[in-house]
Amino acid sequence: MAVALVAVLGAAPASARGLRGLPDWVRPAARYLVGENAIDIASFAPNQPMTRKSFTHVMTKVFGGGYSKTSGTVHTAEVDAALVRVLGRASLAAQLRKVSTPDGWQPQTNKWFGTEIVAREMGLRYDHGTSDEGLEASRDDEMSQGNVAYAVWRAATSPSTYGADELESFSLPNLDETQQKVVQYAFSQVGIPYVWGGEWPLTTSSAYPYGTQTHGGFDCSGFSWYVLRKASGTWTPRRRPYAGWNLPERSSSQMAGATRNKLSFKELKPADLVFFASGGRGSSASSVYHVGVFLGHGWMIDSSGSQDGVSL
């Protein structure tokens, strides 16, 4: 009897055994969804695409609805948009998409622009480490079961309402023609994920002059480089309508070190670079750890790991 009892106590349920076999980053999300009867852990494959039918089931179990397609696989932008809606932030996303300058210029944005930003600022995207960046997902990509599980779990348990609230005050100043082109082009990259060392929106091969990327994406300086750096014979950003400027340095600290004209915050104009260091304006260039592109009115656009990609 004692032997039988030990055997029973030592046998973990099938669901627990399945959870233990998952990567650490997705395990809490999977555990939550199993508890909501939203996924079957026996068939859950974190690195495989999620079908729209399965996503509809997940949304029904967790939120009572919010998505209803059943054919094909679900894409990243669909997931982000659905979660933004069920969290009551659809109007904020629409407001961001319709932003214009006081003199009436309005950047052309795709229909996912607002929801991609809001989803990131609410913390619904997971930034994969350097060894797993092939698991990232751009806005038009199929979204893996693991990435969907993480997004739904965060939306249901700990969305950043502060991040969304801050976006309510986003605005643009009047921009000259060149600034409009820069802002338009920077906005077109929203929905591209964060990739450490990344400087191209698509996967690159060894033939790319600046190295291989297992998934398209940008780190902070790679994004600034892509938006502002002068095009060359071997490197020309995709469909960029301006030549760019002399910006040969690659990292944020190198850019800061090579910058001759250092501005105060009050002197910043749209399309200028904004550098971050813990010591502020008096910091050495070597202590600079982040860079973004200034938009005006206290806002910038950048790519950061905390938002897993390009955001405001």
Side-chain angles (χ1 to χ4, degrees):
M1 182 67 181
V3 173
L5 180 60
V6 169
V8 170
L9 293 177
S15 60
R17 292 200 302 272
L19 286 168
R20 282 202 300 268
L22 296 176
D24 290 344
W25 68 271
V26 76
R27 199 175 299 161
R31 182 179 293 112
Y32 172 81
L33 294 182
V34 167
E36 296 294 315
N37 295 316
I39 62 170
D40 175 9
I41 197 61
S43 60
F44 181 69
N47 296 341
Q48 296 300 312
M50 178 172 279
T51 65
R52 289 185 172 122
K53 183 177 181 180
S54 294
F55 183 55
T56 293
H57 176 74
V58 168
M59 292 292 288
T60 300
K61 288 293 185 180
V62 176
F63 297 107
Y67 187 85
S68 59
K69 294 181 180 180
T70 57
S71 177
T73 53
V74 70
H75 288 217
T76 303
E78 294 177 82
V79 173
D80 290 342
L83 294 176
V84 168
R85 285 195 300 269
V86 297
L87 291 174
R89 300 290 182 163
S91 61
L92 171 59
Q95 174 185 320
L96 293 173
R97 191 183 174 202
K98 295 177 182 177
V99 68
S100 61
T101 59
D103 61 5
W105 178 76
Q106 184 174 8
Q108 296 178 356
T109 57
N110 61 51
K111 64 180 181 178
W112 309 117
F113 178 80
T115 50
E116 284 293 290
I117 291 171
V118 176
R120 281 173 168 77
E121 293 305 309
M122 296 191 82
L124 308 187
R125 297 295 301 274
Y126 181 79
D127 175 30
H128 292 275
T130 53
S131 61
D132 291 326
E133 281 173 338
L135 302 178
E136 292 287 0
S138 295
R139 62 191 176 225
D140 297 323
D141 289 346
E142 294 176 326
M143 202 171 195
S144 71
Q145 296 174 35
N147 283 335
V148 172
Y150 180 89
V152 171
W153 169 63
R154 284 298 305 269
T157 63
S158 55
S160 174
T161 55
Y162 171 81
D165 290 344
E166 287 297 300
L167 289 169
E168 295 281 0
S169 64
F170 177 70
S171 64
L172 289 171
N174 288 330
L175 306 170
D176 65 29
E177 185 177 355
T178 299
Q179 292 167 339
Q180 289 176 3
K181 290 179 180 179
V182 171
V183 170
Q184 175 72 67
Y185 193 70
F187 279 11
S188 72
Q189 307 309 312
V190 166
I192 305 299
Y194 181 88
V195 170
W196 189 86
E199 57 206 14
W200 198 256
L202 303 174
T203 300
T204 63
S205 68
S206 57
Y208 176 66
Y210 299 102
T212 302
Q213 286 183 212
T214 57
H215 196 284
F218 304 105
D219 64 10
C220 67
S221 52
F223 173 72
S224 298
W225 214 53
Y226 190 77
V227 172
L228 295 177
R229 183 179 185 259
K230 187 175 183 179
S232 67
T234 58
W235 185 86
T236 303
R238 301 174 72 242
R239 296 188 290 272
R240 199 177 72 180
Y242 51 91
W245 295 266
N246 184 33
L247 192 68
E249 298 76 18
R250 175 56 180 81
S251 72
S252 57
S253 59
Q254 289 171 333
M255 290 179 187
T259 299
R260 297 178 181 177
N261 187 22
K262 297 178 180 178
L263 308 173
S264 68
F265 187 77
K266 291 182 179 180
E267 293 175 301
L268 284 173
K269 296 180 180 179
D272 285 339
L273 288 175
V274 188
F275 295 99
F276 291 75
S278 57
R281 184 172 168 80
S283 301
S284 65
S286 61
S287 66
V288 169
Y289 61 84
H290 189 64
V291 62
V293 179
F294 191 62
L295 297 174
H297 289 176
W299 288 88
M300 72 172 186
I301 185 167
D302 68 338
S303 183
S304 67
S306 56
Q307 276 75 35
D308 190 38
V310 180
S311 188
L312 301 176

